[in-house]
Structures are given as structure tokens and as C-alpha cells.
């Protein structure tokens, strides 16, 4: 990633299926990761994600429970984002193999430049 000092790191989360709850329905949880974004809206996501729940199986019943560890996980990921920001402020380049590009920020220059809205509109018309 060239011109890395123009990027800012922050913490984001996505939902994921952590497993099945005792009632058989999917248990939806949050996972956290670091995202870097530049002023134009171009974004890269760190490959490492941190689940917001810990899956705990009862030894007696075999039932699966989900312990909420979001508070601890957010602290860890915020620390990682802080370290990335310090690294970028020093003008250092990030290891490209740990980052992959994701969709640009909605409405940003990068979003407009790549024609994302036009691509989505075309896909919707093709699907109809």
C-alpha cells in the first residue's frame, strides 16, 4: 500500500453465525477487525478477525452456550488499530499480505470512481 500515511485505522464489526443455540436456531454474534481508510474512501481490511463470543460447551449436558466477550475483544482490537495508526504515522508501509481491499466507503470519491453504484444498478436490472 503506497502513501500509507494517508490511511487511518479504526475498529469495525460484522455479524456472523457463531453456532446453533440450544433451541436449534443460529446464534448471531459480532466479530471485530481493523479497517484502514484514506481520505478518498479507499479501504483495506486486516485479515485477522476477533469473535465477540466464546463458545462454551457444558461437559454434563453437551449444550453449547455463548459467552459475551465483546468488551474484552473491542479493547484488543482498539489497541491493534492504535498500533497501526502509530505505524502509519511513522511513514512505514504495512505488510500487504495481511490486508485485502474491500469496497470503498459509500459515497466516497473511491466509491464514485470505481462506478460501484452503476455496477449495482446494472446487476439489479440484469437480475430482473
Amino acid at each position: 500500500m503506497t502513501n500509507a500515511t494517508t490511511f487511518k485505522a479504526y475498529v469495525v464489526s460484522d455479524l456472523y453465525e457463531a453456532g446453533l443455540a440450544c433451541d436449534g436456531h443460529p446464534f448471531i454474534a459480532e466479530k471485530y477487525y481493523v479497517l484502514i481508510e484514506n481520505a478518498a474512501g479507499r479501504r483495506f481490511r486486516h485479515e485477522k478477525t476477533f469473535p465477540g463470543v466464546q463458545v462454551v460447551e457444558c461437559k454434563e449436558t453437551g449444550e453449547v452456550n455463548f459467552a459475551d466477550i465483546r468488551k474484552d475483544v473491542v479493547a484488543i482490537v482498539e489497541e491493534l488499530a492504535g498500533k497501526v495508526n502509530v505505524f502509519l504515522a511513522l511513514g512505514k508501509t504495512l505488510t500487504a499480505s495481511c490486508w485485502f481491499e474491500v469496497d470503498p466507503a459509500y459515497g466516497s470519491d473511491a466509491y464514485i470512481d470505481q462506478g460501484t453504484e452503476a455496477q449495482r444498478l446494472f446487476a439489479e436490472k440484469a437480475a430482473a
Side-chain angles (χ1 to χ4, degrees):
M1 285 168 265
T2 58
N3 202 11
T5 56
T6 62
F7 284 86
K8 172 88 172 145
Y10 56 95
V11 177
V12 293
S13 68
D14 282 332
L15 300 177
Y16 76 104
E17 186 177 319
L20 296 177
C22 60
D23 62 0
H25 289 93
F27 187 89
I28 306 301
E30 282 184 284
K31 62 181 173 183
Y32 298 87
Y33 53 91
V34 175
L35 195 73
I36 59 172
E37 182 177 339
N38 68 7
R42 192 169 178 204
R43 301 185 305 174
F44 291 85
R45 175 182 167 171
H46 193 273
E47 66 180 356
K48 174 75 174 152
T49 61
F50 300 83
V53 297
Q54 181 178 9
V55 180
V56 180
E57 184 176 339
C58 177
K59 292 180 182 179
E60 294 175 5
T61 65
E63 231 176 63
V64 175
N65 295 300
F66 302 91
D68 185 359
I69 58 171
R70 289 177 290 181
K71 186 176 179 181
D72 296 333
V73 168
V74 168
I76 292 167
V77 183
E78 284 177 346
E79 182 180 348
L80 177 59
K83 288 179 181 179
V84 170
N85 281 325
V86 167
F87 195 79
L88 291 172
L90 294 173
K92 297 184 179 181
T93 303
L94 298 173
T95 305
S97 63
C98 295
W99 300 87
F100 58 95
E101 192 162 10
V102 295
D103 284 341
Y106 181 76
S108 67
D109 289 342
Y111 180 87
I112 294 166
D113 290 346
Q114 82 172 22
T116 303
E117 197 63 39
Q119 291 171 5
R120 289 190 179 153
L121 184 60
F122 179 77
E124 287 175 8
K125 286 183 179 180

